[in-house]
Amino acid sequence: MEELIAWSVKLGSGTATIEDEQAFQHWRAKDPVHETAWQKLHAIEQGLNAVPPKSKPVVTQAMTLVGKPTPASVKRMQMFKQVGVGAAVFCTLAMLFHQFGSWQLLPWHQQSHFATAMGQRATFTLSDGTRLTLNTDTSVDINYALLKREIVLKTGEIYLETGKDTQGLFGRRSFWVDTQQVKMEAIGTKFSVYQYGTNTRLHVTEGIVAMHSGQHPPVRAYTNESYKMQGNASLPIKADVQQQDPLAWLDGVVVAKQMRLNALMSELLRYQALPLQYDADVGNLQVSGVFQLNRVDPAEHALQTIAQTLPIRLSKHNDSIIIRKK
């Protein structure tokens, strides 16, 4: 799309040469996607001449509602007209305003925010058909633009089933998930992302996710692969998920397989605030089992269950639970 816009500007500038025209024809023939994108843009430009006379007042009112012109905005509009882009932009905005009735409803400019509290999980269907599930204590911003779909994961964990995006003006838009450590581009996929502290964890259940970190070349994660990113601009590291099912939370459980007790409890404490203290070596004990999350006290209940099978005893001191060996 960036190449298409660049060609549109160059060819409409009035300074394009025969060599430019030939290079553009070569670009169109190079890939069927290029030709399809160009035909869609060309149809929009031609649509300017198709606006009926009775709709001209609607066009005028639509442009007026954008806001009172300033010297800077007038200058920008003149520039766009000079390079031949103004007609396409004008026509597109006018027709979409006539269709939707409000600038806030334009399909390529959508912003929203979703969040869950501790212990809460929620699923949302976004405008492009993407299914977004938030795990406990999660916060995300959704930014959908003309050529790009972006989810900013501020904290917590999400699971995504990317939509087909059939309403995209120029076809399917790119889909990105951004965290503090990495930018991830989804390529028709289902995957989970967990942002915690200065770390990001990715697990792909279907398709491909390309991870862009710092100045490093993109690293691709494939079906059933997990990666961890630690700190800013670090290379993704392939992770071992044998001790814990990374997607069990979608079914309301934590599944542990020979998992260290302190690691299991750290996972369960995401769903319940419970102060814990360990005696020496207690945290190294290994635990296996399935622990329910759909209760008000998932961490405490799991700990009481574990105490029946491991050589540990529990006691309380002030507001903390102390875990000691028997």
Side-chain angles (χ1 to χ4, degrees), residues 11 26 46 87 107 129 225 240 263 280 305 324:
L11 297 176
H26 176 73
Q46 294 299 312
E225 289 186 343
D240 182 9
T305 302
R324 294 190 172 96

Side-chain angles (χ1 to χ4, degrees), residues 140-260:
V140 298
D141 288 333
I142 314 295
N143 302 308
Y144 277 17
L146 178 61
L147 305 178
K148 180 181 180 182
R149 296 169 290 168
E150 179 186 55
I151 294 180
V152 180
L153 177 57
K154 294 183 173 181
T155 185
E157 186 171 19
I158 58 175
Y159 177 74
L160 288 153
E161 299 179 16
T162 56
K164 295 182 179 179
D165 196 29
T166 57
Q167 301 302 315
L169 186 62
F170 295 107
R172 184 174 180 136
R173 294 167 289 180
S174 62
F175 192 103
W176 294 79
V177 175
D178 294 353
T179 71
Q180 296 177 20
Q181 288 75 42
V182 64
K183 295 180 180 294
M184 291 165 278
E185 183 178 11
I187 307 173
T189 186
K190 301 177 182 179
F191 62 106
S192 67
V193 183
Y194 179 24
Q195 164 73 54
Y196 55 106
T198 59
N199 301 285
T200 296
R201 184 180 71 200
L202 165 71
H203 181 74
V204 180
T205 58
E206 182 180 302
I208 304 170
V209 176
M211 296 167 284
H212 301 255
S213 177
Q215 300 300 318
H216 304 294
V219 176
R220 289 195 166 196
Y222 298 89
T223 301
N224 295 326
E225 289 186 343
S226 293
Y227 280 82
K228 288 184 179 180
M229 283 66 70
Q230 298 175 321
N232 294 326
S234 63
L235 273 171
I237 302 172
K238 203 166 186 179
D240 182 9
V241 295
Q242 293 182 356
Q243 293 185 332
Q244 180 186 352
D245 184 344
L247 297 180
W249 63 271
L250 292 169
D251 297 320
V253 296
V254 170
V255 178
K257 307 167 188 176
Q258 294 297 302
M259 195 173 180
R260 286 165 52 108

Side-chain angles (χ1 to χ4, degrees), residues 261-262 265-266 269 273-285 303 312-325:
L261 176 60
N262 55 5
M265 293 313 301
S266 293
L269 291 178
L274 184 67
L276 294 180
Q277 296 181 26
Y278 298 88
D279 263 4
D281 298 331
V282 171
N284 295 328
L285 295 173
L303 192 56
I312 61 174
R313 56 188 176 88
L314 308 177
S315 61
K316 286 191 175 182
H317 179 69
N318 296 329
D319 293 329
S320 296
I321 294 180
I322 302 175
I323 309 174
R324 294 190 172 96
K325 277 191 174 182

Side-chain angles (χ1 to χ4, degrees), residues 8 41 44-45 48 84-93:
S8 181
L41 180 61
I44 292 173
E45 292 174 338
L48 179 62
V85 181
V89 175
F90 183 91
C91 175
T92 303
L93 293 179

Side-chain angles (χ1 to χ4, degrees), residues 26-141:
H26 176 73
W27 179 84
R28 289 175 60 181
K30 184 178 179 181
D31 192 321
V33 174
H34 295 178
E35 178 63 19
T36 300
W38 170 252
Q39 292 297 336
K40 289 185 178 181
L41 180 61
H42 182 67
I44 292 173
E45 292 174 338
Q46 294 299 312
L48 179 62
N49 298 323
V51 178
K54 66 179 181 180
S55 296
K56 297 298 183 181
V58 176
V59 173
T60 303
Q61 293 171 14
M63 297 308 295
T64 302
L65 287 175
V66 175
K68 185 178 179 180
T70 64
S73 64
V74 170
K75 185 177 180 180
R76 286 194 298 270
M77 183 59 73
Q78 290 173 345
M79 179 187 70
F80 276 112
K81 288 181 179 178
Q82 289 172 359
V83 297
V85 181
V89 175
F90 183 91
C91 175
T92 303
L93 293 179
M95 289 190 295
L96 284 168
F97 176 82
H98 188 61
Q99 177 180 356
F100 292 98
S102 172
W103 295 105
Q104 285 74 23
L105 296 180
L106 293 180
W108 58 69
H109 183 220
Q110 299 172 359
Q111 294 180 317
S112 53
H113 174 79
F114 298 110
T116 53
M118 177 176 284
Q120 180 186 13
R121 299 185 304 279
T123 299
F124 306 91
T125 300
L126 307 183
S127 61
D128 64 330
T130 293
R131 283 178 56 84
L132 167 66
T133 302
L134 277 62
N135 200 357
T136 175
D137 195 20
T138 297
S139 175
V140 298
D141 288 333

